């Protein structure tokens, strides 16, 4: 998870509550959102309990010898689709064309996940479980993100900050936001 998701700029929080009190305009430039931290902790517990942090479980899923985790993925996709349709946040998502790096990036992600036994969220959960081998996965995620940012700057690809800015853009005409 990127640091920009964990941090909220004080300008956005102070502009929304500038009339409330002087304590809302803190001297720090950012703060950790408690809901994000609690959501991350809950995700880590769920990933651990389901077996997504166990390389053996993932190996059985990827070799199709145990479809339990595939079912968990299916449930997660259904919950996400229903949530995006029912909650107003779904209407705020920008309508963008498919980026040409999605397919090779997804393949690279899948290979890394199969080799390390962890996606980024599961790697953080593995660290929480005390599995020091997850440090390699976390370093790989950070290195891959930094490499993408460097390539994006050279080739003028959309970076995480420009994608985040476009995600916060107003909804297109005709899209109702509640």
């Amino acid at each position: 998870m990127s640091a920009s998701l964990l941090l909220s700029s004080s300008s956005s929080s102070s502009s929304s509550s500038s009339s409330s009190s002087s304590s809302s305009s803190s001297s720090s430039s950012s703060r950790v959102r408690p809901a994000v931290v609690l959501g991350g902790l809950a995700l880590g517990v769920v990933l651990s309990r389901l077996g997504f942090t166990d390389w053996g479980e993932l190996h059985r899923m990827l070799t199709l010898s145990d479809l339990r985790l595939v079912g968990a993925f299916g449930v997660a996709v259904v919950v996400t689709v229903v949530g995006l349709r029912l909650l107003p946040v779904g209407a705020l998502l920008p309508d963008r064309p498919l980026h040409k790096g999605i397919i090779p990036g997804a393949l690279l992600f899948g290979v890394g996940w199969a080799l390390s036994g962890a996606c980024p969220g599961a790697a953080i959960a593995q660290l929480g479980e005390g599995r020091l081998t997850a440090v390699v996965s976390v370093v790989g995620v950070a290195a891959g993100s930094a490499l993408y940012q460097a390539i994006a700057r050279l080739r003028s690809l959309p970076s995480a900050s420009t994608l985040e800015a476009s995600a916060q853009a107003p909804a297109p005409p005709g899209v109702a936001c509640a």
Side-chain angles (χ1 to χ4, degrees):
M1 185 177 295
S2 72
S4 62
L5 293 176
L6 288 175
L7 300 176
S8 167
S9 70
S10 64
S11 63
S12 65
S13 65
S14 64
S15 66
S16 64
S17 62
S18 60
S19 62
S20 62
S21 70
S22 62
S23 65
S24 66
S25 59
S26 65
S27 61
S28 66
S29 63
S30 59
R31 62 182 173 83
V32 175
R33 295 181 184 178
V36 173
V37 172
L38 291 175
L41 288 172
L43 176 65
V45 168
V46 168
L47 289 174
S48 180
R49 300 286 292 168
L50 285 174
F52 278 102
T53 59
D54 180 13
W55 190 89
E57 288 279 342
L58 289 171
H59 182 264
R60 287 188 289 280
M61 177 191 72
L62 294 172
T63 59
L64 302 177
S65 60
D66 182 2
L67 299 179
R68 187 178 62 81
L69 292 182
V70 173
F73 265 113
V75 169
V77 168
V78 168
V79 168
T80 300
V81 168
V82 169
L84 288 175
R85 295 290 179 208
L86 295 178
L87 298 175
V89 73
L92 297 175
L93 296 175
D95 197 18
R96 296 190 293 246
L98 185 66
H99 184 274
K100 64 182 178 182
I102 292 291
I103 301 301
L107 290 171
L108 185 61
F109 178 87
V111 168
W113 186 29
L115 292 175
S116 69
C119 66
I124 300 297
Q126 287 173 339
L127 285 176
E129 292 175 341
R131 297 182 190 196
L132 296 180
T133 55
V135 171
V136 175
S137 299
V138 172
V139 168
V141 168
S145 296
L147 179 63
Y148 177 81
Q149 290 296 321
I151 292 170
R153 277 188 226 106
L154 293 174
R155 299 180 70 195
S156 300
L157 295 175
S159 65
S161 59
T162 58
L163 290 176
E164 183 178 308
S166 68
Q168 294 174 357
V175 177
C177 298

